[in-house]
Amino acid sequence: MRQSDFSSPSAQPLPAAVDDQARALRAALDDANYRYYVLDEPTLTDADYDRTLRRLQTLEAEYPALVTPDSPTQRVGAPPADGFAEIEHAVPMLSLANAFDRDEVFAFAQRVAERLECEPDEVTFTAEPKLDGAAVSLVYERGELVRGATRGDGRTGEDITANLRTLRSVPLALRGDSVPALLEVRGEVIMRHAGFERLNAKAREEGGKVFANPRNAAAGSLRQLDPSVTDTRPLEFHAYQTARITPDSGEASHSERMARLAELGFHTSRELERLTGPQAVVDYCKALGERRDTLGFDIDGVVIKVDNLRQQRELGFVARAPRWATAYKFPAQEETTRLDDVEFQVGRTGAITPVARLSPVTVAGVTVSNATLHNADEIARLDVRIGDTVAIRRAGDVIPQVVRVDVDKRPADAQQIVFPERCPVCEAEVERPAGEAVARCSGGLFCPAQRKEALKHFASRRALDIDGLGEKLIAQLVDNDWVQTPAELFALTAEQLQTLPRMGEKSSQNLLDALKAAKATTLPRFIYALGIREVGEATAAGLAAHFGTLNALENADQEALEAVDDVGPIVAAHVHTFFRQPHNRETIQALRAAGVHWDEQEVTAGPTPLKGQSWVLTGTLESMTRDEGKARLQGLGAKVAGSVSKKTACVVAGEAAGSKLEKAETLGVEVLDEAEFIARLQAWENDTSR
């Protein structure tokens, strides 16, 4: 049936070609959202997606009859609400009982087995991460999203349909030809660590609300009265349960039901595993706990469920929780302690960062004695003082931070934190440019702290990887005034080095050999080593792949820089400004004169052969380091991931490859040994250089 068949009798009929074009654009956008937000296999660049969306918006503006409720243009269409209506859940959103150790997991399995009249080792469970976000329910009728609600008290929630429609990971219409007449899906709305940090950084710059943790950020974002605000927040919906499905689609297990939800267009956990017996479940919990910090989002445990749906019905519920599920809880990621003092550190860009010195406390299994306070605005916002009892949060690779102050416990002698007016290292004036939250030392390379940090970054493993050039040795080189710029490292002599403590003839020669070896590098590493503001390893690789040569990058204007994937106006401005500075160009010339070099090649327009593919490197490679292999793959457009999944295109297995190789073989992912990998790299690189 064509869209025009739904028009009122008085409406002007739609040209068939226009209707077909709109359908094709909607399908392309829906597919792009599904592949990006659910499969993590993007097919359209952000620019292509925006162009496609604008074409559809233009058509719908010209032909209003084209607009459908499930159109990608209608994700943000509701006006701000005065409040949220209440929704009574047709099936209550119950909580889970908790297990905190091995014995309690075994006890849960024993209770399940007794009711099923079998042995615990005969029960098949599923296990998946317990996401730490905001629980919501989505209701679909005849394949279209009609209602979305918060958990509330488990029986009554708030109607946040308009806000949930803004999430690209929430399908407005179910995928496929065979969709249930009624479907209610339960899941969690989360915010990844990277998005959370960007959101808070922007809030600090603009003087807005700073969230304590990703869970609070997700919940607060969902309860915005204006959906257009929710639309700006980096939220994701992850489905974990079906509450209702009519007619029953015939799946016999929870794991099969999750696979069905994935087919319908929902993001389901790639970490979900079927496990037989409680010991396998305990092993899963232990392994996931060890990988907790690498996931990129917060989890507070593992959800364990009986997989068989018939057995779930047989087990039933007790009070406010199902008998067939429990939650294994990880150690908390927030704890309270005393703030003993505040010190101010100077970074390589001159940024003055206040660091809280804490009474040591264990957070998520790690002893924390320092935490960042970010800047003067954050100190004022928290109203934090020396002597306060504070809440410390640690999640993943995020630096521990102070997120709250318990004012009720403030001692009478608590001291105000005073931001320095002069650099604590070089006594140069501290400046705070208009519009910026960060205060900076004005000393530049005159400031030993900035010089030391810049050199430490330059020598780091992801940069030029100068083995043996650590923090203490850099401090000695700077304090002796032997090295002021990175190029001067390559002019060091054995005679100089041997005058330093614990630097004998062998140690000196080892460092000189490392400096000599570091001269042969790659363009991405060199760009990263320069320490350009906000240019991390991935951005450096993207710049190198896009421009091909340093000369092309140095002479690129702002518009050309913004054409690089994942480079926005702010990063482009930092890069453009860096290469306009004469002293930076002089430093680069001095480095090249000292012998630092890399292979360059002009790049031509057009897609790279591995664009959109996800590769994994595992084991030890003999002919190159894994970082070098990663850089070459990224140069060909590939995304290099740290774990294997169904979306992985290929795994490169070196010597002593372990669990990643086993998982690739289990999933049927293509595996290359080192010789095959090198042969393919050379073929692709030769082909793209023509």
Side-chain angles (χ1 to χ4, degrees):
M1 184 178 287
R2 293 189 177 278
Q3 178 63 38
S4 54
D5 295 332
F6 291 97
S7 304
S8 64
S10 60
Q12 181 180 357
L14 288 171
V18 171
D19 195 7
D20 289 341
Q21 184 181 4
R23 287 173 178 273
L25 291 171
R26 282 196 296 269
L29 291 167
D30 286 339
D31 186 66
N33 281 331
Y34 175 69
R35 292 183 179 279
Y36 185 94
Y37 292 101
V38 178
L39 300 182
D40 194 21
E41 296 175 351
T43 53
L44 289 182
T45 65
D46 290 346
D48 287 339
Y49 182 93
D50 290 342
R51 281 191 288 269
T52 306
L53 183 62
R54 283 195 295 271
R55 285 201 295 271
L56 180 58
Q57 289 171 330
T58 301
L59 274 183
E60 291 182 350
E62 187 174 353
Y63 299 95
L66 284 173
V67 180
T68 61
D70 62 345
S71 172
T73 65
Q74 300 304 298
R75 285 195 176 273
V76 188
D82 294 327
F84 297 111
E86 288 190 346
I87 288 182
E88 185 173 349
H89 297 299
V91 177
M93 295 183 72
L94 302 179
S95 56
L96 294 175
N98 293 326
F100 292 94
D101 55 32
R102 177 188 182 279
D103 291 345
E104 292 183 358
V105 172
F106 270 74
F108 162 71
Q110 183 64 41
R111 291 193 300 272
V112 166
E114 288 175 355
R115 286 187 171 272
L116 296 178
E117 298 182 352
C118 64
E119 294 298 320
D121 286 340
E122 297 173 351
V123 181
T124 298
F125 300 93
T126 62
E128 61 184 292
K130 185 176 183 296
L131 303 174
D132 195 10
V136 299
S137 172
L138 303 174
V139 177
Y140 291 80
E141 294 178 357
R142 294 178 295 279
E144 291 189 4
L145 175 66
V146 296
R147 190 162 55 256
T150 63
R151 180 183 183 276
D153 64 4
R155 299 190 178 276
T156 303
E158 293 176 314
D159 186 343
I160 56 168
T161 309
N163 289 351
L164 287 168
R165 288 175 62 87
T166 69
L167 276 63
R168 273 41 175 194
S169 49
V170 170
L172 299 180
L174 302 178
R175 294 174 64 85
D177 298 326
S178 177
V179 300
L182 173 68
L183 175 67
E184 182 174 357
V185 178
R186 302 281 166 79
E188 200 89 356
V189 173
I190 67 166
M191 188 177 291
R192 292 180 182 269
H193 295 155
F196 172 71
E197 290 301 310
R198 288 195 301 271
L199 179 65
N200 269 355
K202 183 178 179 183
R204 291 186 187 100
E205 290 175 4
E206 299 175 352
K209 178 179 180 180
V210 177
F211 290 99
N213 53 56
R215 180 185 66 251
N216 290 352
S221 299
L222 285 177
R223 298 192 73 258
Q224 294 292 319
L225 296 177
D226 185 351
S228 66
V229 176
T230 305
D231 186 48
T232 66
R233 305 287 172 81
L235 301 172
E236 298 178 12
F237 174 75
H238 292 234
Y240 58 64
Q241 192 79 34
T242 55
R244 294 181 289 163
I245 183 166
T246 305
D248 192 303
S249 47
E251 292 84 19
S253 66
H254 170 68
S255 53
E256 291 174 353
R257 185 65 57 81
M258 289 299 96
R260 175 65 176 142
L261 287 184
E263 292 172 357
L264 291 172
F266 293 97
H267 191 303
T268 59
S269 177
R270 297 184 178 90
E271 302 286 343
L272 186 147
E273 291 188 17
R274 295 178 74 249
L275 305 161
T276 300
Q279 185 58 53
V281 173
V282 169
D283 291 343
Y284 175 97
C285 294
K286 181 176 183 295
L288 186 65
E290 292 171 350
R291 294 194 297 112
R292 181 183 186 184
D293 290 349
T294 69
L295 298 177
F297 50 83
D298 279 0
I299 63 173
D300 57 2
V302 175
V303 176
I304 306 162
K305 300 174 183 174
V306 173
D307 190 34
N308 186 289
L309 295 179
R310 179 188 58 77
Q311 290 179 340
Q312 286 188 10
R313 291 190 292 271
E314 183 179 340
L315 289 162
F317 300 84
V318 57
R320 296 174 60 85
R323 288 193 180 96
W324 43 265
T326 195
Y328 177 85
K329 299 301 289 289
F330 289 147
Q333 292 187 298
E334 279 190 15
E335 294 290 351
T336 58
T337 188
R338 185 180 186 277
L339 193 155
D340 294 327
D341 199 1
V342 173
E343 295 180 4
F344 295 89
Q345 295 182 344
V346 184
R348 62 184 171 84
T349 64
I352 308 290
T353 303
V355 177
R357 303 303 185 193
L358 310 165
S359 294
V361 61
T362 300
V363 186
V366 175
T367 300
V368 173
S369 55
N370 304 311
T372 181
L373 284 166
H374 295 289
N375 51 49
D377 287 349
E378 183 74 350
I379 290 172
R381 185 190 71 80
L382 290 167
D383 186 25
V384 62
R385 303 178 189 183
I386 296 171
D388 274 341
T389 297
V390 294
I392 305 300
R393 177 172 177 77
R394 176 186 176 274
D397 294 328
V398 178
I399 298 170
Q401 51 193 307
V402 177
V403 294
R404 284 190 311 282
V405 176
D406 190 339
V407 179
D408 293 338
K409 294 182 179 179
R410 174 168 289 165
D413 60 350
Q415 301 174 37
Q416 294 277 1
I417 299 170
V418 180
F419 219 84
E421 295 181 357
R422 291 192 171 274
C423 173
V425 176
C426 72
E427 292 293 322
E429 288 187 10
V430 171
E431 300 174 328
R432 183 173 174 180
E436 288 193 17
V438 177
R440 298 182 189 278
C441 165
S442 60
L445 283 179
F446 166 76
C447 176
Q450 292 184 59
R451 201 181 312 159
K452 290 172 184 176
E453 291 300 319
L455 291 169
K456 188 167 73 173
H457 175 80
F458 182 82
S460 64
R461 189 169 65 88
R462 302 288 186 184
L464 257 66
D465 192 18
I466 305 175
D467 189 32
L469 188 57
E471 184 173 357
K472 290 183 179 179
L473 181 54
I474 287 173
Q476 292 175 324
L477 297 176
V478 173
D479 291 344
N480 285 336
D481 206 24
W482 292 347
V483 176
Q484 294 186 351
T485 68
E488 293 177 358
L489 288 168
F490 299 98
L492 291 170
T493 66
E495 290 74 21
Q496 279 179 304
L497 294 172
Q498 287 173 27
T499 64
L500 297 175
R502 292 181 296 279
M503 284 292 287
E505 182 177 346
K506 184 176 180 181
S507 298
S508 300
Q509 190 58 51
N510 287 343
L511 178 58
L512 294 176
D513 290 343
L515 285 164
K516 181 178 179 181
K519 291 181 181 180
T521 186
T522 67
L523 182 55
R525 280 177 171 273
F526 185 77
I527 296 170
Y528 175 66
L530 293 175
I532 305 169
R533 283 185 65 187
E534 301 201 36
V535 174
E537 188 183 1
T539 302
L543 291 167
H546 185 88
F547 290 104
T549 69
L550 185 64
N551 184 60
L553 174 59
E554 286 178 313
N555 294 300
D557 59 20
Q558 181 96 4
E559 183 179 359
L561 289 164
E562 288 185 36
V564 180
D565 286 346
D566 297 325
V567 173
I570 294 175
V571 175
H574 288 322
V575 176
H576 188 255
T577 299
F578 180 89
F579 286 114
R580 299 284 75 74
Q581 303 302 312
H583 62 272
N584 289 333
R585 288 196 175 238
E586 290 168 4
T587 296
I588 292 170
Q589 290 169 1
L591 285 166
R592 302 191 85 162
V596 178
H597 64 280
W598 55 87
D599 291 333
E600 290 187 324
Q601 60 181 24
E602 299 290 341
V603 295
T604 56
T608 46
L610 304 185
K611 191 171 182 65
Q613 293 187 21
S614 177
W615 283 59
V616 172
L617 296 166
T618 183
T620 303
L621 302 178
E622 292 185 2
S623 59
M624 66 183 79
T625 66
R626 283 187 17 198
D627 284 342
E628 289 169 344
K630 177 180 179 180
R632 290 175 72 173
L633 284 170
Q634 289 174 331
L636 294 164
K639 173 185 175 183
V640 182
S643 59
V644 180
S645 67
K646 290 184 288 187
K647 66 183 178 61
T648 304
C650 191
V651 170
V652 178
E655 287 294 323
S659 59
K660 293 177 184 177
L661 174 58
E662 294 174 5
K663 188 167 184 180
E665 292 170 340
T666 301
L667 294 174
V669 174
E670 182 181 11
V671 176
L672 300 180
D673 62 22
E674 184 171 355
E676 294 170 321
F677 175 53
I678 292 172
R680 290 204 192 179
L681 278 180
Q682 291 173 342
W684 282 320
E685 290 168 345
N686 290 337
D687 188 53
T688 55
S689 65
R690 291 175 187 150

PDB file of all heavy atoms in Angstrom, residues 226-238:
ATOM      1  N   ASP A 226      11.296  18.831  27.873  1.00  0.00           N
ATOM      2  CA  ASP A 226      11.448  19.174  26.455  1.00  0.00           C
ATOM      3  C   ASP A 226      12.203  18.047  25.751  1.00  0.00           C
ATOM      4  O   ASP A 226      13.387  17.844  26.009  1.00  0.00           O
ATOM      5  CB  ASP A 226      12.218  20.491  26.328  1.00  0.00           C
ATOM      6  CG  ASP A 226      12.301  20.979  24.882  1.00  0.00           C
ATOM      7  OD1 ASP A 226      11.908  20.215  23.974  1.00  0.00           O
ATOM      8  OD2 ASP A 226      12.755  22.111  24.671  1.00  0.00           O
ATOM      9  N   PRO A 227      11.550  17.281  24.851  1.00  0.00           N
ATOM     10  CA  PRO A 227      12.238  16.171  24.174  1.00  0.00           C
ATOM     11  C   PRO A 227      13.460  16.600  23.380  1.00  0.00           C
ATOM     12  O   PRO A 227      14.373  15.801  23.177  1.00  0.00           O
ATOM     13  CB  PRO A 227      11.145  15.609  23.251  1.00  0.00           C
ATOM     14  CG  PRO A 227       9.852  16.040  23.863  1.00  0.00           C
ATOM     15  CD  PRO A 227      10.128  17.380  24.479  1.00  0.00           C
ATOM     16  N   SER A 228      13.492  17.853  22.932  1.00  0.00           N
ATOM     17  CA  SER A 228      14.647  18.297  22.150  1.00  0.00           C
ATOM     18  C   SER A 228      15.912  18.323  23.003  1.00  0.00           C
ATOM     19  O   SER A 228      17.021  18.212  22.483  1.00  0.00           O
ATOM     20  CB  SER A 228      14.392  19.676  21.545  1.00  0.00           C
ATOM     21  OG  SER A 228      14.280  20.668  22.555  1.00  0.00           O
ATOM     22  N   VAL A 229      15.759  18.457  24.328  1.00  0.00           N
ATOM     23  CA  VAL A 229      16.921  18.385  25.224  1.00  0.00           C
ATOM     24  C   VAL A 229      17.401  16.938  25.319  1.00  0.00           C
ATOM     25  O   VAL A 229      18.599  16.652  25.226  1.00  0.00           O
ATOM     26  CB  VAL A 229      16.571  18.934  26.620  1.00  0.00           C
ATOM     27  CG1 VAL A 229      17.757  18.773  27.576  1.00  0.00           C
ATOM     28  CG2 VAL A 229      16.165  20.398  26.526  1.00  0.00           C
ATOM     29  N   THR A 230      16.461  16.021  25.492  1.00  0.00           N
ATOM     30  CA  THR A 230      16.825  14.595  25.530  1.00  0.00           C
ATOM     31  C   THR A 230      17.560  14.200  24.256  1.00  0.00           C
ATOM     32  O   THR A 230      18.510  13.405  24.286  1.00  0.00           O
ATOM     33  CB  THR A 230      15.562  13.732  25.687  1.00  0.00           C
ATOM     34  OG1 THR A 230      14.836  14.175  26.840  1.00  0.00           O
ATOM     35  CG2 THR A 230      15.921  12.260  25.866  1.00  0.00           C
ATOM     36  N   ASP A 231      17.133  14.760  23.136  1.00  0.00           N
ATOM     37  CA  ASP A 231      17.737  14.421  21.843  1.00  0.00           C
ATOM     38  C   ASP A 231      19.217  14.753  21.786  1.00  0.00           C
ATOM     39  O   ASP A 231      19.964  14.141  21.023  1.00  0.00           O
ATOM     40  CB  ASP A 231      16.978  15.160  20.729  1.00  0.00           C
ATOM     41  CG  ASP A 231      17.443  14.758  19.348  1.00  0.00           C
ATOM     42  OD1 ASP A 231      17.560  13.542  19.084  1.00  0.00           O
ATOM     43  OD2 ASP A 231      17.709  15.649  18.525  1.00  0.00           O
ATOM     44  N   THR A 232      19.667  15.713  22.598  1.00  0.00           N
ATOM     45  CA  THR A 232      21.085  16.103  22.573  1.00  0.00           C
ATOM     46  C   THR A 232      21.944  15.232  23.472  1.00  0.00           C
ATOM     47  O   THR A 232      23.168  15.364  23.459  1.00  0.00           O
ATOM     48  CB  THR A 232      21.248  17.568  23.033  1.00  0.00           C
ATOM     49  OG1 THR A 232      20.866  17.678  24.421  1.00  0.00           O
ATOM     50  CG2 THR A 232      20.384  18.502  22.191  1.00  0.00           C
ATOM     51  N   ARG A 233      21.335  14.340  24.242  1.00  0.00           N
ATOM     52  CA  ARG A 233      22.080  13.531  25.198  1.00  0.00           C
ATOM     53  C   ARG A 233      22.480  12.185  24.577  1.00  0.00           C
ATOM     54  O   ARG A 233      21.672  11.559  23.871  1.00  0.00           O
ATOM     55  CB  ARG A 233      21.247  13.287  26.462  1.00  0.00           C
ATOM     56  CG  ARG A 233      20.746  14.588  27.126  1.00  0.00           C
ATOM     57  CD  ARG A 233      21.856  15.337  27.818  1.00  0.00           C
ATOM     58  NE  ARG A 233      21.474  16.649  28.308  1.00  0.00           N
ATOM     59  CZ  ARG A 233      20.831  16.878  29.452  1.00  0.00           C
ATOM     60  NH1 ARG A 233      20.457  15.867  30.220  1.00  0.00           N
ATOM     61  NH2 ARG A 233      20.559  18.112  29.828  1.00  0.00           N
ATOM     62  N   PRO A 234      23.682  11.694  24.846  1.00  0.00           N
ATOM     63  CA  PRO A 234      24.174  10.447  24.232  1.00  0.00           C
ATOM     64  C   PRO A 234      23.616   9.205  24.931  1.00  0.00           C
ATOM     65  O   PRO A 234      24.316   8.491  25.643  1.00  0.00           O
ATOM     66  CB  PRO A 234      25.692  10.553  24.388  1.00  0.00           C
ATOM     67  CG  PRO A 234      25.869  11.370  25.642  1.00  0.00           C
ATOM     68  CD  PRO A 234      24.737  12.359  25.661  1.00  0.00           C
ATOM     69  N   LEU A 235      22.331   8.921  24.710  1.00  0.00           N
ATOM     70  CA  LEU A 235      21.650   7.824  25.375  1.00  0.00           C
ATOM     71  C   LEU A 235      21.507   6.613  24.452  1.00  0.00           C
ATOM     72  O   LEU A 235      21.403   6.761  23.236  1.00  0.00           O
ATOM     73  CB  LEU A 235      20.256   8.266  25.834  1.00  0.00           C
ATOM     74  CG  LEU A 235      20.206   9.456  26.798  1.00  0.00           C
ATOM     75  CD1 LEU A 235      18.763   9.898  27.007  1.00  0.00           C
ATOM     76  CD2 LEU A 235      20.857   9.103  28.125  1.00  0.00           C
ATOM     77  N   GLU A 236      21.489   5.419  25.055  1.00  0.00           N
ATOM     78  CA  GLU A 236      21.285   4.179  24.301  1.00  0.00           C
ATOM     79  C   GLU A 236      20.282   3.310  25.044  1.00  0.00           C
ATOM     80  O   GLU A 236      20.314   3.224  26.272  1.00  0.00           O
ATOM     81  CB  GLU A 236      22.596   3.384  24.164  1.00  0.00           C
ATOM     82  CG  GLU A 236      23.695   4.090  23.407  1.00  0.00           C
ATOM     83  CD  GLU A 236      24.966   3.259  23.372  1.00  0.00           C
ATOM     84  OE1 GLU A 236      24.907   2.055  23.733  1.00  0.00           O
ATOM     85  OE2 GLU A 236      26.021   3.805  23.001  1.00  0.00           O
ATOM     86  N   PHE A 237      19.418   2.625  24.277  1.00  0.00           N
ATOM     87  CA  PHE A 237      18.488   1.665  24.870  1.00  0.00           C
ATOM     88  C   PHE A 237      18.985   0.256  24.593  1.00  0.00           C
ATOM     89  O   PHE A 237      19.274  -0.104  23.448  1.00  0.00           O
ATOM     90  CB  PHE A 237      17.083   1.838  24.278  1.00  0.00           C
ATOM     91  CG  PHE A 237      16.103   0.782  24.745  1.00  0.00           C
ATOM     92  CD1 PHE A 237      15.577   0.832  26.016  1.00  0.00           C
ATOM     93  CD2 PHE A 237      15.732  -0.267  23.911  1.00  0.00           C
ATOM     94  CE1 PHE A 237      14.681  -0.133  26.464  1.00  0.00           C
ATOM     95  CE2 PHE A 237      14.844  -1.247  24.348  1.00  0.00           C
ATOM     96  CZ  PHE A 237      14.317  -1.177  25.624  1.00  0.00           C
ATOM     97  N   HIS A 238      19.080  -0.578  25.651  1.00  0.00           N
ATOM     98  CA  HIS A 238      19.494  -1.970  25.532  1.00  0.00           C
ATOM     99  C   HIS A 238      18.355  -2.850  26.054  1.00  0.00           C
ATOM    100  O   HIS A 238      17.992  -2.764  27.237  1.00  0.00           O
ATOM    101  CB  HIS A 238      20.764  -2.231  26.341  1.00  0.00           C
ATOM    102  CG  HIS A 238      21.982  -1.544  25.807  1.00  0.00           C
ATOM    103  ND1 HIS A 238      23.147  -2.210  25.505  1.00  0.00           N
ATOM    104  CD2 HIS A 238      22.219  -0.244  25.498  1.00  0.00           C
ATOM    105  CE1 HIS A 238      24.043  -1.355  25.059  1.00  0.00           C
ATOM    106  NE2 HIS A 238      23.498  -0.143  25.045  1.00  0.00           N
TER     107      HIS A 238
END
